[in-house]
Amino acid sequence: MNPKIWLSSPHMGNNEFNYVKEAFDTNWIAPLGPHVDGFEKTLENFLGQNTYVAALSSGTAALHLALIILGVQAGDEVICQSMTFSASANPIAYQGATPIFVDSEEQSWNMSPDFLEEAINDRLKKGKKPKAIIIVHLYGMPANMTRIMEIANKHDIPVVEDAAEALGSSYKKQPLGTFGAMSILSFNGNKIITTSGGGALVSTNEDWIKKARFLATQARDAAPHYQHSHIGYNYRMSNICAGIGRGQMEVLLERVKQRRYNFEYYKNAFASIPEIKFMEEPSSDYYSNRWLSTILVNGSGKSIDREQLRLSLEKDNIESRPLWKPMHLQPVFADASFYGDGTSERLFESGLCLPSGSNLSKEDLDRVVDQVVSTFSTVQI
Ligand SMILES: *Cc1c(COP(=O)(O)O)cnc(C)c1O
């Protein structure tokens, strides 16, 4: 059996271990410390735009705090992109609020501005103003932020930007994670950089970020004893994890370059397979970190489909995965309202994520390419 090729695996640089060793040497083994502060500063500098950052235990925790700080409560409605990972929508349910799902557009695969507008108007007609809009930049590709912010501003509804997959991407030269009233990042093991597990909340509103740090450390009031006026959470990032993050930030731009290289490599290699289509950047306004290289497999008749290609890759010990299954099709959200025309469902049916790690060797990439090419050539007559 050939060695396993992963979809997206951790890729350490040279300094992560030095930062972690420093934490051990100074005994900062806790969910606070100099690396947590340093990691936050590095992210603030990278994102620019006068942002403040709170380093947290996960991207999901960051989304949960974002909704709490925006005042989302039981009975409220929150609009959310349907095509995404469940972690984008779960925090709505944590608050006892109701998700309203919106379909994707063809060009970015992210929230359709047209259906967003339709959803807002219809909810207003039904008598309830949505409390927030959660948009996602899938696989690193920016959503249409100009139109989405226009619509959100017109209706005065705050945007929460789920940039978990999009650190290092930009829209009209502005880094993703700096558009929303609040934005979240993830440093899970499979993301473009990792802290083993972790996340961050980003905002230009310093009070909100201070509040996030307060809520994330059990909401302790200023008193010598343990005094609480709010329900708190244990959501802060560990100083060890933040040390890994500081090392990873030193190689982030290199990782973006490597991931974008993977995409170009596949695109050139599959240029002569008409059944395979790539998600292009819609215009020069869009810059994707290409967290994952994704394809659409549009075989018809005798040709093979997405699932056959996935199984064929699996046979050679190569991990690939269908695109995110839309939330409005998930059993757990079966009762939720949905606005759309089936675009995300069609993308899910034919879309596949290919191995995309920044640590793939040329041999790895060629193994993937050979397996895909031979899968298609066996069925062509
Ligand atoms: C990974 C991910 C999250 C959750 O981040 P965690 O750090 O794993 O909690 C949220 N949204 C999207 C789109 C993601 O890909």
Side-chain angles (χ1 to χ4, degrees):
M1 185 61 118
N2 278 324
K4 175 109 176 176
I5 297 179
W6 298 94
L7 191 71
S8 177
S9 69
H11 186 187
M12 292 297 108
N14 293 321
N15 265 335
E16 288 83 347
F17 195 67
N18 296 331
Y19 285 110
V20 171
K21 183 168 183 311
E22 192 184 321
F24 273 74
D25 289 345
T26 54
N27 206 31
W28 279 105
I29 318 287
L32 80 168
H35 287 336
V36 177
D37 302 340
F39 186 43
E40 289 177 344
K41 280 276 164 308
T42 310
L43 284 165
E44 286 167 359
N45 290 337
F46 178 81
L47 294 169
Q49 316 289 323
N50 303 311
T51 49
Y52 298 89
V53 172
L56 301 169
S57 54
S58 72
T60 311
L63 263 169
H64 189 196
L65 291 182
L67 296 185
I68 291 169
I69 290 166
L70 289 174
V72 173
Q73 295 177 349
D76 286 339
E77 293 186 346
V78 175
I79 290 180
C80 183
Q81 183 166 319
S82 183
M83 190 166 169
T84 184
F85 179 43
S86 64
S88 305
N90 285 338
I92 302 170
Y94 299 167
Q95 285 305 95
T98 306
I100 306 291
F101 291 115
V102 170
D103 211 348
S104 293
E105 57 168 9
E106 290 278 351
Q107 63 162 4
S108 70
W109 297 5
N110 294 311
M111 188 182 280
S112 152
D114 292 336
F115 285 118
L116 169 62
E117 183 128 58
E118 186 184 314
I120 294 172
N121 287 331
D122 193 55
R123 299 326 287 182
L124 289 174
K125 224 178 355 185
K126 290 186 162 72
K128 220 167 219 179
K129 181 171 168 175
K131 264 295 182 62
I133 301 165
I134 301 174
I135 65 105
V136 191
H137 308 293
L138 288 181
Y139 309 114
M141 183 65 77
N144 184 341
M145 292 315 293
T146 301
R147 283 202 58 208
I148 284 170
M149 294 311 293
E150 256 170 34
I151 295 164
N153 290 338
K154 186 169 87 185
H155 293 279
D156 196 27
I157 303 173
V159 168
V160 177
E161 210 188 331
D162 180 346
E165 303 176 1
L167 183 61
S169 300
S170 59
Y171 178 77
K172 296 188 173 169
K173 305 260 186 306
Q174 183 179 331
L176 298 190
T178 65
F179 286 85
M182 279 191 263
S183 307
I184 73 103
L185 302 170
S186 169
F187 310 109
N188 207 328
N190 59 353
K191 299 288 154 71
I192 190 154
I193 61 166
T194 180
T195 60
S196 77
L201 186 66
V202 184
S203 179
T204 55
N205 186 325
E206 188 179 13
D207 291 340
W208 284 351
I209 296 301
K210 281 188 177 153
K211 187 162 183 194
R213 293 194 190 113
F214 166 76
L215 292 172
T217 48
Q218 306 288 20
R220 282 186 64 187
D221 295 341
H225 55 277
Y226 279 83
Q227 171 90 11
H228 305 278
S229 321
H230 293 87
I231 296 294
Y233 301 86
N234 184 5
Y235 279 174
R236 202 70 164 119
M237 180 179 276
S238 142
N239 195 58
I240 305 284
C241 296
I244 302 173
R246 292 183 88 176
Q248 287 273 274
M249 281 304 286
E250 293 174 7
V251 293
L252 171 60
L253 293 179
E254 213 177 307
R255 298 295 179 259
V256 173
K257 225 169 89 188
Q258 288 156 329
R259 299 236 176 198
R260 286 179 63 86
Y261 175 84
N262 292 339
F263 177 85
E264 290 301 322
Y265 199 90
Y266 288 134
K267 208 177 103 177
N268 291 330
F270 302 148
S272 59
I273 305 177
E275 292 92 337
I276 293 182
K277 298 243 167 344
F278 286 85
M279 190 210 331
E280 301 288 347
E281 287 160 332
S283 76
S284 58
D285 289 341
Y286 294 72
Y287 182 81
S288 171
N289 66 10
R290 294 291 184 199
W291 172 53
L292 296 185
S293 288
T294 53
I295 57 172
L296 296 178
V297 184
N298 285 315
S300 57
K302 284 200 196 67
S303 191
I304 64 155
D305 63 17
R306 189 279 311 280
E307 194 51 18
Q308 288 168 306
L309 179 59
R310 191 187 71 76
L311 290 170
S312 169
L313 288 165
E314 193 172 83
K315 238 185 247 153
D316 192 39
N317 213 11
I318 297 168
E319 184 185 27
S320 67
R321 200 174 293 161
L323 302 188
W324 299 122
K325 180 172 179 174
M327 290 302 115
H328 72 279
L329 301 176
Q330 299 285 357
V332 70
F333 293 123
D335 297 333
S337 298
F338 170 71
Y339 296 84
D341 64 1
T343 298
S344 59
E345 191 167 349
R346 281 195 299 278
L347 291 168
F348 168 65
E349 294 297 333
S350 66
L352 191 68
C353 306
L354 296 173
S356 304
S358 48
N359 49 6
L360 293 175
S361 65
K362 185 172 181 322
E363 290 70 40
D364 293 333
L365 288 170
D366 284 336
R367 243 181 77 200
V368 178
V369 166
D370 290 348
Q371 189 69 9
V372 171
V373 169
S374 74
T375 305
F376 276 95
S377 61
T378 53
V379 292
Q380 247 123 55
I381 304 158

